[in-house]
Amino acid sequence: MIKGLEGNFAILIDFDGTITKRDTNDLLVERYVDPSIRDLSQRDGGVNFMEYFGGLMSKVKITEEDYINFILNEIQLADGFYEFYLKARKLNIPLAVVSGGFENGIRPFLKKHGIEEVEILANRLKFDKDNLRIEFYHNKADCCDIGNCGNCKVLHYERYKKENDKVVFIGDGITDRAVASKADLVFAKDGLLRYCKANNLACIPWKDFDDISNILFGSKI
Ligand SMILES: [Mg+2]
Ligand SMILES: [Zn+2]
C-alpha cells in the first residue's frame, strides 16, 4: 500500500482514454462529423463546454443500436484494467467510473469485459432515431474550472470524500483537471499530466493499469 493511503480509500476513474485506449467521443466525431466542425481542441478555449459538446454530438447521425455496436467493436480496454478491477474488488475498494461521455456505451462496454460491479457516473445520450441529444448528469453553474461541465467530477469527488478517508483519481484529459487539483492522490497521463506539471499539481504519471496496481495494491494482493 502506498504511503499516505492508510485507512479506506475509493477510486474514481475517468473512462475515455483512461479505461479505453482511445477516446470514444473523439473517434465517434472523427467517423461521423465533417472535419470543418469537429475540432475537439476547441474544448480548450473559452466556449461553454456543455453547449459546445451538445452541438457537436447533435451533428452525429447514428442510431442507439449502431452507437453501442460502434463502442463494442471499435474501442479497446486499457492494458491491465481488468486485473486492476479484480484486485480492487477483492480488497473491497469502492470504484466509480466518472465520465463526461455516455452511460449508453460505457455500461455495455464494461459488461462485455466482465466488469459490472462498478458505479457509473456519466451523461446519457437520448436517441430519436439517428438524432442525438445529451442529457447531462449535472447542471450546476461554474461547478469547476471549465464552467458548467455537465457531469462534474468535482461534485462526485466531494460525495466520495464524505464516505471515504481518501479518494484516488485516475485520468488523462480536460474534464479531469478540476478534480485532479482536489483528489488525495492523482494518476495522470497525456494532457492531464502536462496540465498537472504546468500547474505544480502533485501526480503520479502512468502508462497502463499494471503501473497503478503495483503502486496502489503493491504486494497486498
Ligand atoms: Mg479521458
Ligand atoms: Zn464541473
Side-chain angles (χ1 to χ4, degrees):
M1 183 68 57
I2 190 168
K3 212 171 168 294
L5 270 189
E6 297 82 8
N8 73 72
F9 67 92
I11 308 175
L12 302 185
I13 318 169
D14 169 54
F15 183 72
D16 284 290
T18 297
I19 291 177
T20 67
K21 290 192 176 174
R22 276 211 61 178
D23 186 300
T24 60
N25 299 312
D26 288 354
L27 189 61
L28 184 76
V29 167
E30 207 176 285
R31 285 284 166 80
Y32 292 91
V33 181
D34 188 86
S36 62
I37 43 176
R38 76 181 183 202
D39 185 7
L40 287 184
S41 66
Q42 286 179 58
R43 280 194 213 153
D44 264 328
V47 292
N48 176 317
F49 181 80
M50 286 171 78
E51 279 174 18
Y52 172 71
F53 196 34
L56 191 64
M57 282 298 154
S58 74
K59 306 283 192 302
V60 179
K61 299 296 169 198
I62 191 170
T63 63
E64 183 159 27
E65 193 189 347
D66 287 345
Y67 175 75
I68 291 170
N69 285 330
F70 165 81
I71 301 285
L72 294 181
N73 297 328
E74 306 279 335
I75 300 298
Q76 291 177 300
L77 191 70
D79 293 332
F81 185 73
Y82 183 65
E83 295 73 16
F84 169 88
Y85 162 77
L86 292 180
K87 286 178 185 174
R89 252 187 57 190
K90 212 168 177 182
L91 294 169
N92 287 318
I93 296 170
L95 282 186
V97 175
V98 287
S99 171
F102 310 108
E103 199 254 346
N104 316 57
I106 295 171
R107 195 174 297 281
F109 175 83
L110 292 177
K111 190 172 179 205
K112 173 190 163 185
H113 292 284
I115 299 158
E116 295 192 74
E117 287 174 48
V118 57
E119 187 169 21
I120 298 173
L121 302 161
N123 299 314
R124 274 201 72 79
L125 281 173
K126 289 289 184 187
F127 291 83
D128 177 11
K129 295 198 180 80
D130 64 352
N131 287 305
L132 273 61
R133 184 172 61 77
I134 303 175
E135 195 176 83
F136 286 102
Y137 190 104
H138 289 125
N139 191 357
K140 189 167 182 270
D142 299 325
C143 52
C144 60
D145 66 341
I146 56 170
N148 187 342
C149 66
N151 182 29
C152 194
K153 298 182 185 185
V154 173
L155 297 178
H156 293 306
Y157 161 80
E158 283 166 355
R159 178 166 66 83
Y160 268 82
K161 184 69 178 169
K162 277 191 196 129
E163 296 162 1
N164 301 274
D165 296 335
K166 299 271 169 72
V167 178
V168 175
F169 181 79
I170 306 167
D172 75 318
I174 291 165
T175 61
D176 303 328
R177 289 177 180 182
V179 66
S181 67
K182 303 207 172 223
D184 296 293
L185 186 68
V186 175
F187 289 89
K189 69 170 186 170
D190 300 340
L192 183 65
L193 179 59
R194 290 191 291 275
Y195 176 83
C196 288
K197 282 184 174 164
N199 291 279
N200 288 319
L201 296 175
C203 72
I204 301 175
W206 67 284
K207 284 199 173 65
D208 62 40
F209 276 87
D210 292 336
D211 298 343
I212 300 174
S213 289
N214 287 336
I215 293 169
L216 281 183
F217 312 134
S219 56
K220 252 198 126 179
I221 198 157

